[in-house]
Amino acid sequence: MREMTFKMERPGLVKAGDAVEVSEKKTALNYSYIIEPAVAMSGCYKVNQRLHTLNGVVKEVQHTQRGYYVIVTFDEDPLPEK
């Protein structure tokens, strides 16, 4: 299972166990993902780190001093360690 972290600005938009769909946004060199409908946004990923599936399940929602973070699991292989 691959995990991806998304930044969420407001609490309560999703919860652990929710099935989510993400959309992919392409820039000149990177890809980013948004949990629809505009719930949370990922960081940037290089071409070789793209998602192959756009459906996942919320593993957990974390609240930190910097805000809310949504951890989503996708049914694909994890990224190789650096």
Side-chain angles (χ1 to χ4, degrees), residues 3-50:
E3 291 186 1
M4 186 179 284
T5 302
F6 294 80
K7 176 77 165 71
M8 183 170 66
E9 297 298 322
R10 295 179 291 135
L13 300 177
V14 292
K15 63 184 182 310
D18 285 354
V20 294
E21 183 176 343
V22 299
S23 61
E24 181 178 73
K25 304 295 179 195
K26 182 183 185 305
T27 63
L29 300 172
N30 297 309
Y31 290 85
S32 62
Y33 299 90
I34 298 173
I35 298 175
E36 294 296 345
V39 170
M41 186 169 185
S42 74
C44 295
Y45 292 88
K46 296 183 188 289
V47 172
N48 63 344
Q49 299 172 322
R50 282 179 75 182

